Amino acid sequence: MLGLTKTDARLYLIVIGMLVFAPFLLNPFPETSGLAQFNAGYPDLMQKLVIFGIFAVGYNILFGLTGYLSFGHAAFLGIGSFAGVWVMKLLTMNVIPALIIAMLVAGVFALVIGFVSLRRSGIYFSILTLAFAQMCYSLAYSVLTPITGGETGLTLSLDDPRILGVSQTESGNIPVPHLFGLDMASATTIDVGAWNFTFSAGYYFAALIMAFAFYFSIRLFRSPFGLMLRAIKSNQTRMSYTGLNPRPYTLAAFVISGMYAGLAGGLMVAMDPLAGSERMLWTASGEVVLMTILGGAGTLIGPILGAGVIAYLESIISTIGSTVLYNWFSGLPDGIANVLVNVIYPFVGSGWHLTLGLVFMLVVIFLPGGIVEGGKRIGGLFRRRQDKTSATTTAEPGE
Amino acid sequence: MEAIILQVLNGLDKGSAYALIALGLTLIFGTLGVVNFAHGALFMLGAFIAVTLRRVLNLSFETIDETRTDFLGNPMAVDTPYVEYWFGPEMGSAIIDWSVPIAVLLAIPIMALIGVAMERGLIKHFYKRPHADQILVTFGLAIVLQEIIKAFYGANPIPTPAPQAFVGSFDFGALIGFDPFTIMYPYWRLVYFAFSMVIIGAVFAFLRFTTFGMVVRAGMADRETVGLLGIDIDRRFVIMFAIAAIVAGLAGVMYTPILSPNYHIGMEFLVLSFVVVVVGGMGSLPGAVAAGFLLGILQSFASMSQIIEIIPGINQVIIYLVAVIVLLTRPRGLMGRKGVMEE
């Protein structure tokens, strides 16, 4: 199917299924139950999950395949966001041109930064990308304020000269992002008993882009180009000895992953037209590294899982306050409830970064292959047990 | 001329901080071969040791002072710190006043302990793993440490002043024959610079003149051979790590009067110190120190209003720009040696 092998096609169909049915899958708890706050089926969060999924899938093309640890990819995300907002300010509120321009601009920046950074490898490469990203962030935050909005961020305003379209709607509002007239923020809600399922145009548009992005990533993984990138990861020196110059391949991977990041940035502003320079901070780059590692770097599905888990945890855990905790433990005796709340409280709410850091460390220490490897190990346990039982019942023929 | 001298002086304190952190980083690079992204967090922990000590010294109990009354005529409640009660009012307030220098004494054992715990608990298991894994796990540790500090101390900067004796500025201009009051330089920055010189000198002397230092230098040059000679390299690694932690911690303690510490001060310095290490050349101690001062001074020159007028924003990017140029022209850094951290 679509030029994919059978296993890849199955994986792709699973991802498509997850994307299509996400409003149901992420809404397992009825509204009336106490667990409703764990529901993730609202448009904002679903869009975030998908956008970070695209970002991580792109990052995986560089880090997972080539092994180059870039600590500056958030810069491309930020550049994509700024480019997207400017297209909306100057050209049209249709999201398609914004996305295309965001990708292209991020790609150009990635070409320049990659061309310079890829002259070095290993830790030097990480630090060079980090330096470039910090440079972009500092400039966006200070000197480039006319272009980037500086501290306040870049937003649409009522007097934007929009060439294709109007500066203001008839009611005097800023027009909303749309896809050929389809409002990105529009959503329909279906009530089924105690469940509310929200279907938003913005989410399905992002999911469609994700489907394309993931398809491209699978094809790239299975292509001779992907194989070349793997070869670079395993032994670059040997590559050079065989007469191949690895630089063009790594540069192409860098630019492609930068364009993915730009696309993710463009999608962010397509959903919510504002961009801030804090999106480019190097800790934000660290987050996408974490997503890729957590899911499983170098695997197809890993980055999507990792991005989903992190974005979900961030949104859900950071909303748990002490009152919520007290509600949970209200059935327990006061003393025990207090102790439990005091133990858990530092890890939730505003302290969720602590949880993030701990997860990061635990994954790197115990599960370098991420969720995908974890799943394989668990699967392996069951399989071995089955093998054992089968071995005891059936006699193996002698060699 | 005055302006140039002033900018050089202004760059010294930042440069000292960069040099001290970069010194520890490059020690760990060179000997242990570990890329420690949590090194900035050690700087931050040092700063918060000073903050904590000041808080502890300020712990007080409330007494009713009958001799003084508020505007309603009631006797006033007065807070007396325990130290003033124990050591007498004058001695007590002097101890509180001198909390930052006193914190240095406290920081040495605490940072050594933290360093040993970190090496034994975490870093030890990562000697054989790829650099990417080391970066990632220590990056995670840095996040955890700074979040713990944030949970206890909040997100706002906490002012931790220098002792009264060092408040004010030193008239540097008059000393070297310029008009008085043209080159003023805060006393504490001078102290910081002198302190960093002492620490850097001590680390160099330790490596130069002790047997331990000789082995460590040998290990930086050729780790395998030193191991083959039957030297217990493990124990030395722990000590090296502890020393690096102490240096970073002390840099943090003494920096608190210059910049009120907050929970992400470590991350800010970390990125810059990595750049410093790379510019200086990985694994080169003199390189790290020289590059630290060089970049600190360059940064203060770039912050001059005349320069900003010509090239806006240069003060924000000068360090990164220098790093990029150095790395592209001299890939091993200014004083880097062959074969360190090169895959």
mmCIF file of all heavy atoms in Angstrom, chain A residues 182-217:
data_model
loop_
_atom_site.group_PDB
_atom_site.id
_atom_site.type_symbol
_atom_site.label_atom_id
_atom_site.label_comp_id
_atom_site.label_asym_id
_atom_site.label_seq_id
_atom_site.Cartn_x
_atom_site.Cartn_y
_atom_site.Cartn_z
ATOM 1 N N LEU A 182 -12.802 27.694 5.858
ATOM 2 C CA LEU A 182 -13.115 26.842 7.007
ATOM 3 C C LEU A 182 -12.374 27.380 8.230
ATOM 4 O O LEU A 182 -11.155 27.336 8.291
ATOM 5 C CB LEU A 182 -12.693 25.399 6.716
ATOM 6 C CG LEU A 182 -12.879 24.402 7.857
ATOM 7 C CD1 LEU A 182 -14.348 24.212 8.173
ATOM 8 C CD2 LEU A 182 -12.248 23.071 7.503
ATOM 9 N N ASP A 183 -13.141 27.868 9.174
ATOM 10 C CA ASP A 183 -12.562 28.497 10.360
ATOM 11 C C ASP A 183 -11.826 27.453 11.211
ATOM 12 O O ASP A 183 -12.381 26.427 11.567
ATOM 13 C CB ASP A 183 -13.720 29.130 11.151
ATOM 14 C CG ASP A 183 -13.222 29.801 12.412
ATOM 15 O OD1 ASP A 183 -12.000 29.787 12.643
ATOM 16 O OD2 ASP A 183 -14.070 30.338 13.141
ATOM 17 N N MET A 184 -10.545 27.734 11.523
ATOM 18 C CA MET A 184 -9.734 26.772 12.263
ATOM 19 C C MET A 184 -10.272 26.531 13.672
ATOM 20 O O MET A 184 -10.041 25.489 14.265
ATOM 21 C CB MET A 184 -8.295 27.282 12.378
ATOM 22 C CG MET A 184 -7.467 27.070 11.142
ATOM 23 S SD MET A 184 -7.152 25.346 10.893
ATOM 24 C CE MET A 184 -7.588 25.156 9.209
ATOM 25 N N ALA A 185 -10.932 27.545 14.221
ATOM 26 C CA ALA A 185 -11.377 27.407 15.602
ATOM 27 C C ALA A 185 -12.754 26.762 15.705
ATOM 28 O O ALA A 185 -13.222 26.476 16.795
ATOM 29 C CB ALA A 185 -11.395 28.774 16.279
ATOM 30 N N SER A 186 -13.404 26.517 14.541
ATOM 31 C CA SER A 186 -14.760 25.991 14.615
ATOM 32 C C SER A 186 -14.728 24.547 15.096
ATOM 33 O O SER A 186 -13.826 23.781 14.784
ATOM 34 C CB SER A 186 -15.431 26.063 13.238
ATOM 35 O OG SER A 186 -14.812 25.139 12.366
ATOM 36 N N ALA A 187 -15.728 24.199 15.872
ATOM 37 C CA ALA A 187 -15.782 22.848 16.417
ATOM 38 C C ALA A 187 -17.229 22.460 16.635
ATOM 39 O O ALA A 187 -18.075 23.305 16.900
ATOM 40 C CB ALA A 187 -15.026 22.784 17.742
ATOM 41 N N THR A 188 -17.493 21.183 16.478
ATOM 42 C CA THR A 188 -18.824 20.687 16.812
ATOM 43 C C THR A 188 -18.691 19.711 17.960
ATOM 44 O O THR A 188 -17.730 18.955 18.039
ATOM 45 C CB THR A 188 -19.477 19.954 15.624
ATOM 46 O OG1 THR A 188 -18.495 19.099 15.049
ATOM 47 C CG2 THR A 188 -20.004 20.926 14.607
ATOM 48 N N THR A 189 -19.645 19.734 18.857
ATOM 49 C CA THR A 189 -19.616 18.846 20.005
ATOM 50 C C THR A 189 -20.770 17.871 19.902
ATOM 51 O O THR A 189 -21.890 18.262 19.567
ATOM 52 C CB THR A 189 -19.753 19.656 21.301
ATOM 53 O OG1 THR A 189 -18.802 20.706 21.257
ATOM 54 C CG2 THR A 189 -19.500 18.792 22.509
ATOM 55 N N ILE A 190 -20.472 16.599 20.100
ATOM 56 C CA ILE A 190 -21.529 15.596 20.100
ATOM 57 C C ILE A 190 -21.657 15.070 21.528
ATOM 58 O O ILE A 190 -20.668 14.657 22.127
ATOM 59 C CB ILE A 190 -21.193 14.428 19.151
ATOM 60 C CG1 ILE A 190 -21.019 14.957 17.727
ATOM 61 C CG2 ILE A 190 -22.271 13.365 19.198
ATOM 62 C CD1 ILE A 190 -20.615 13.889 16.749
ATOM 63 N N ASP A 191 -22.854 15.107 22.068
ATOM 64 C CA ASP A 191 -23.067 14.570 23.412
ATOM 65 C C ASP A 191 -23.589 13.148 23.304
ATOM 66 O O ASP A 191 -24.592 12.899 22.651
ATOM 67 C CB ASP A 191 -24.094 15.422 24.162
ATOM 68 C CG ASP A 191 -23.558 16.820 24.404
ATOM 69 O OD1 ASP A 191 -22.329 16.952 24.514
ATOM 70 O OD2 ASP A 191 -24.366 17.764 24.467
ATOM 71 N N VAL A 192 -22.868 12.230 23.908
ATOM 72 C CA VAL A 192 -23.339 10.844 23.969
ATOM 73 C C VAL A 192 -23.434 10.492 25.442
ATOM 74 O O VAL A 192 -22.419 10.222 26.085
ATOM 75 C CB VAL A 192 -22.369 9.883 23.253
ATOM 76 C CG1 VAL A 192 -22.922 8.470 23.268
ATOM 77 C CG2 VAL A 192 -22.115 10.347 21.837
ATOM 78 N N GLY A 193 -24.600 10.519 25.965
ATOM 79 C CA GLY A 193 -24.753 10.264 27.396
ATOM 80 C C GLY A 193 -23.943 11.280 28.179
ATOM 81 O O GLY A 193 -24.098 12.487 27.995
ATOM 82 N N ALA A 194 -23.037 10.771 29.008
ATOM 83 C CA ALA A 194 -22.247 11.677 29.841
ATOM 84 C C ALA A 194 -20.980 12.148 29.135
ATOM 85 O O ALA A 194 -20.187 12.868 29.698
ATOM 86 C CB ALA A 194 -21.882 10.990 31.143
ATOM 87 N N TRP A 195 -20.752 11.680 27.903
ATOM 88 C CA TRP A 195 -19.531 12.049 27.204
ATOM 89 C C TRP A 195 -19.781 13.199 26.227
ATOM 90 O O TRP A 195 -20.813 13.216 25.552
ATOM 91 C CB TRP A 195 -18.988 10.852 26.417
ATOM 92 C CG TRP A 195 -18.301 9.841 27.255
ATOM 93 C CD1 TRP A 195 -16.989 9.793 27.593
ATOM 94 C CD2 TRP A 195 -18.900 8.701 27.866
ATOM 95 N NE1 TRP A 195 -16.724 8.711 28.375
ATOM 96 C CE2 TRP A 195 -17.879 8.015 28.579
ATOM 97 C CE3 TRP A 195 -20.198 8.185 27.916
ATOM 98 C CZ2 TRP A 195 -18.101 6.854 29.294
ATOM 99 C CZ3 TRP A 195 -20.424 7.027 28.634
ATOM 100 C CH2 TRP A 195 -19.394 6.370 29.322
ATOM 101 N N ASN A 196 -18.848 14.141 26.155
ATOM 102 C CA ASN A 196 -18.910 15.154 25.099
ATOM 103 C C ASN A 196 -17.711 14.937 24.188
ATOM 104 O O ASN A 196 -16.586 15.015 24.649
ATOM 105 C CB ASN A 196 -18.803 16.576 25.658
ATOM 106 C CG ASN A 196 -19.824 16.841 26.717
ATOM 107 O OD1 ASN A 196 -20.920 16.312 26.648
ATOM 108 N ND2 ASN A 196 -19.458 17.653 27.689
ATOM 109 N N PHE A 197 -17.963 14.675 22.933
ATOM 110 C CA PHE A 197 -16.858 14.522 21.996
ATOM 111 C C PHE A 197 -16.774 15.772 21.134
ATOM 112 O O PHE A 197 -17.760 16.172 20.516
ATOM 113 C CB PHE A 197 -17.059 13.284 21.131
ATOM 114 C CG PHE A 197 -17.100 12.021 21.943
ATOM 115 C CD1 PHE A 197 -18.251 11.263 22.004
ATOM 116 C CD2 PHE A 197 -15.989 11.617 22.655
ATOM 117 C CE1 PHE A 197 -18.291 10.102 22.762
ATOM 118 C CE2 PHE A 197 -16.027 10.462 23.405
ATOM 119 C CZ PHE A 197 -17.181 9.701 23.464
ATOM 120 N N THR A 198 -15.585 16.405 21.119
ATOM 121 C CA THR A 198 -15.429 17.633 20.363
ATOM 122 C C THR A 198 -14.660 17.348 19.080
ATOM 123 O O THR A 198 -13.593 16.740 19.128
ATOM 124 C CB THR A 198 -14.659 18.670 21.188
ATOM 125 O OG1 THR A 198 -15.212 18.682 22.489
ATOM 126 C CG2 THR A 198 -14.761 20.042 20.577
ATOM 127 N N PHE A 199 -15.207 17.779 17.974
ATOM 128 C CA PHE A 199 -14.497 17.638 16.703
ATOM 129 C C PHE A 199 -14.169 19.026 16.203
ATOM 130 O O PHE A 199 -15.077 19.794 15.887
ATOM 131 C CB PHE A 199 -15.375 16.899 15.685
ATOM 132 C CG PHE A 199 -15.777 15.543 16.150
ATOM 133 C CD1 PHE A 199 -16.944 15.360 16.850
ATOM 134 C CD2 PHE A 199 -14.950 14.463 15.917
ATOM 135 C CE1 PHE A 199 -17.300 14.117 17.319
ATOM 136 C CE2 PHE A 199 -15.295 13.214 16.377
ATOM 137 C CZ PHE A 199 -16.476 13.030 17.080
ATOM 138 N N SER A 200 -12.893 19.355 16.140
ATOM 139 C CA SER A 200 -12.561 20.709 15.721
ATOM 140 C C SER A 200 -11.874 20.674 14.369
ATOM 141 O O SER A 200 -11.135 19.735 14.045
ATOM 142 C CB SER A 200 -11.667 21.389 16.749
ATOM 143 O OG SER A 200 -10.330 21.198 16.428
ATOM 144 N N ALA A 201 -12.157 21.695 13.584
ATOM 145 C CA ALA A 201 -11.581 21.769 12.240
ATOM 146 C C ALA A 201 -10.061 21.877 12.338
ATOM 147 O O ALA A 201 -9.335 21.229 11.592
ATOM 148 C CB ALA A 201 -12.155 22.984 11.515
ATOM 149 N N GLY A 202 -9.590 22.696 13.292
ATOM 150 C CA GLY A 202 -8.157 22.892 13.452
ATOM 151 C C GLY A 202 -7.450 21.581 13.728
ATOM 152 O O GLY A 202 -6.417 21.276 13.127
ATOM 153 N N TYR A 203 -8.019 20.779 14.627
ATOM 154 C CA TYR A 203 -7.366 19.516 14.957
ATOM 155 C C TYR A 203 -7.277 18.622 13.735
ATOM 156 O O TYR A 203 -6.223 18.055 13.445
ATOM 157 C CB TYR A 203 -8.092 18.784 16.086
ATOM 158 C CG TYR A 203 -7.634 17.358 16.180
ATOM 159 C CD1 TYR A 203 -6.353 17.084 16.662
ATOM 160 C CD2 TYR A 203 -8.414 16.305 15.718
ATOM 161 C CE1 TYR A 203 -5.883 15.791 16.683
ATOM 162 C CE2 TYR A 203 -7.952 15.018 15.742
ATOM 163 C CZ TYR A 203 -6.683 14.758 16.225
ATOM 164 O OH TYR A 203 -6.200 13.490 16.230
ATOM 165 N N TYR A 204 -8.387 18.485 13.002
ATOM 166 C CA TYR A 204 -8.340 17.554 11.872
ATOM 167 C C TYR A 204 -7.421 18.048 10.765
ATOM 168 O O TYR A 204 -6.800 17.246 10.066
ATOM 169 C CB TYR A 204 -9.751 17.247 11.359
ATOM 170 C CG TYR A 204 -10.374 16.153 12.185
ATOM 171 C CD1 TYR A 204 -11.334 16.432 13.133
ATOM 172 C CD2 TYR A 204 -9.915 14.846 12.063
ATOM 173 C CE1 TYR A 204 -11.860 15.428 13.932
ATOM 174 C CE2 TYR A 204 -10.419 13.843 12.848
ATOM 175 C CZ TYR A 204 -11.389 14.137 13.783
ATOM 176 O OH TYR A 204 -11.871 13.142 14.569
ATOM 177 N N PHE A 205 -7.324 19.357 10.636
ATOM 178 C CA PHE A 205 -6.357 19.892 9.660
ATOM 179 C C PHE A 205 -4.936 19.512 10.093
ATOM 180 O O PHE A 205 -4.146 18.989 9.294
ATOM 181 C CB PHE A 205 -6.507 21.408 9.579
ATOM 182 C CG PHE A 205 -5.507 22.060 8.684
ATOM 183 C CD1 PHE A 205 -5.496 21.782 7.330
ATOM 184 C CD2 PHE A 205 -4.559 22.931 9.194
ATOM 185 C CE1 PHE A 205 -4.558 22.371 6.494
ATOM 186 C CE2 PHE A 205 -3.617 23.519 8.377
ATOM 187 C CZ PHE A 205 -3.618 23.242 7.024
ATOM 188 N N ALA A 206 -4.619 19.736 11.385
ATOM 189 C CA ALA A 206 -3.293 19.390 11.889
ATOM 190 C C ALA A 206 -3.039 17.896 11.753
ATOM 191 O O ALA A 206 -1.945 17.462 11.396
ATOM 192 C CB ALA A 206 -3.157 19.822 13.352
ATOM 193 N N ALA A 207 -4.088 17.099 12.004
ATOM 194 C CA ALA A 207 -3.927 15.650 11.913
ATOM 195 C C ALA A 207 -3.636 15.224 10.479
ATOM 196 O O ALA A 207 -2.837 14.319 10.233
ATOM 197 C CB ALA A 207 -5.185 14.960 12.422
ATOM 198 N N LEU A 208 -4.272 15.908 9.534
ATOM 199 C CA LEU A 208 -4.026 15.604 8.121
ATOM 200 C C LEU A 208 -2.563 15.886 7.778
ATOM 201 O O LEU A 208 -1.888 15.073 7.129
ATOM 202 C CB LEU A 208 -4.957 16.455 7.251
ATOM 203 C CG LEU A 208 -4.953 16.142 5.764
ATOM 204 C CD1 LEU A 208 -5.613 14.808 5.528
ATOM 205 C CD2 LEU A 208 -5.685 17.227 4.991
ATOM 206 N N ILE A 209 -2.077 17.037 8.239
ATOM 207 C CA ILE A 209 -0.674 17.386 7.988
ATOM 208 C C ILE A 209 0.239 16.337 8.629
ATOM 209 O O ILE A 209 1.228 15.895 8.043
ATOM 210 C CB ILE A 209 -0.354 18.769 8.587
ATOM 211 C CG1 ILE A 209 -1.295 19.814 8.030
ATOM 212 C CG2 ILE A 209 1.106 19.128 8.361
ATOM 213 C CD1 ILE A 209 -0.823 20.567 6.873
ATOM 214 N N MET A 210 -0.121 15.939 9.841
ATOM 215 C CA MET A 210 0.651 14.921 10.544
ATOM 216 C C MET A 210 0.691 13.632 9.741
ATOM 217 O O MET A 210 1.733 12.980 9.625
ATOM 218 C CB MET A 210 0.007 14.672 11.911
ATOM 219 C CG MET A 210 0.519 13.453 12.618
ATOM 220 S SD MET A 210 2.188 13.719 13.164
ATOM 221 C CE MET A 210 2.181 12.750 14.624
ATOM 222 N N ALA A 211 -0.438 13.254 9.151
ATOM 223 C CA ALA A 211 -0.487 12.025 8.369
ATOM 224 C C ALA A 211 0.497 12.109 7.204
ATOM 225 O O ALA A 211 1.252 11.162 6.944
ATOM 226 C CB ALA A 211 -1.901 11.786 7.855
ATOM 227 N N PHE A 212 0.516 13.274 6.534
ATOM 228 C CA PHE A 212 1.481 13.458 5.435
ATOM 229 C C PHE A 212 2.909 13.405 5.967
ATOM 230 O O PHE A 212 3.781 12.745 5.396
ATOM 231 C CB PHE A 212 1.255 14.811 4.742
ATOM 232 C CG PHE A 212 0.113 14.809 3.790
ATOM 233 C CD1 PHE A 212 -0.932 15.706 3.920
ATOM 234 C CD2 PHE A 212 0.074 13.900 2.744
ATOM 235 C CE1 PHE A 212 -1.992 15.707 3.043
ATOM 236 C CE2 PHE A 212 -0.979 13.887 1.861
ATOM 237 C CZ PHE A 212 -2.023 14.795 2.017
ATOM 238 N N ALA A 213 3.139 14.123 7.069
ATOM 239 C CA ALA A 213 4.494 14.217 7.614
ATOM 240 C C ALA A 213 5.007 12.837 8.003
ATOM 241 O O ALA A 213 6.157 12.489 7.754
ATOM 242 C CB ALA A 213 4.510 15.152 8.824
ATOM 243 N N PHE A 214 4.111 12.050 8.601
ATOM 244 C CA PHE A 214 4.533 10.727 9.042
ATOM 245 C C PHE A 214 4.791 9.820 7.851
ATOM 246 O O PHE A 214 5.740 9.038 7.830
ATOM 247 C CB PHE A 214 3.467 10.133 9.967
ATOM 248 C CG PHE A 214 3.889 8.858 10.622
ATOM 249 C CD1 PHE A 214 5.068 8.805 11.361
ATOM 250 C CD2 PHE A 214 3.125 7.720 10.526
ATOM 251 C CE1 PHE A 214 5.469 7.633 11.957
ATOM 252 C CE2 PHE A 214 3.526 6.545 11.128
ATOM 253 C CZ PHE A 214 4.699 6.503 11.844
ATOM 254 N N TYR A 215 3.941 9.951 6.830
ATOM 255 C CA TYR A 215 4.138 9.145 5.628
ATOM 256 C C TYR A 215 5.508 9.461 5.012
ATOM 257 O O TYR A 215 6.276 8.554 4.684
ATOM 258 C CB TYR A 215 3.029 9.423 4.622
ATOM 259 C CG TYR A 215 3.220 8.690 3.320
ATOM 260 C CD1 TYR A 215 3.041 7.317 3.264
ATOM 261 C CD2 TYR A 215 3.593 9.359 2.157
ATOM 262 C CE1 TYR A 215 3.233 6.622 2.094
ATOM 263 C CE2 TYR A 215 3.792 8.680 0.976
ATOM 264 C CZ TYR A 215 3.615 7.313 0.949
ATOM 265 O OH TYR A 215 3.816 6.619 -0.212
ATOM 266 N N PHE A 216 5.804 10.744 4.911
ATOM 267 C CA PHE A 216 7.091 11.142 4.350
ATOM 268 C C PHE A 216 8.230 10.576 5.184
ATOM 269 O O PHE A 216 9.233 10.103 4.638
ATOM 270 C CB PHE A 216 7.169 12.671 4.300
ATOM 271 C CG PHE A 216 8.410 13.183 3.657
ATOM 272 C CD1 PHE A 216 8.584 13.101 2.284
ATOM 273 C CD2 PHE A 216 9.433 13.729 4.411
ATOM 274 C CE1 PHE A 216 9.735 13.558 1.680
ATOM 275 C CE2 PHE A 216 10.590 14.182 3.827
ATOM 276 C CZ PHE A 216 10.737 14.099 2.451
ATOM 277 N N SER A 217 8.051 10.607 6.513
ATOM 278 C CA SER A 217 9.106 10.101 7.385
ATOM 279 C C SER A 217 9.322 8.593 7.191
ATOM 280 O O SER A 217 10.458 8.121 7.144
ATOM 281 C CB SER A 217 8.748 10.431 8.834
ATOM 282 O OG SER A 217 9.176 9.438 9.701
#
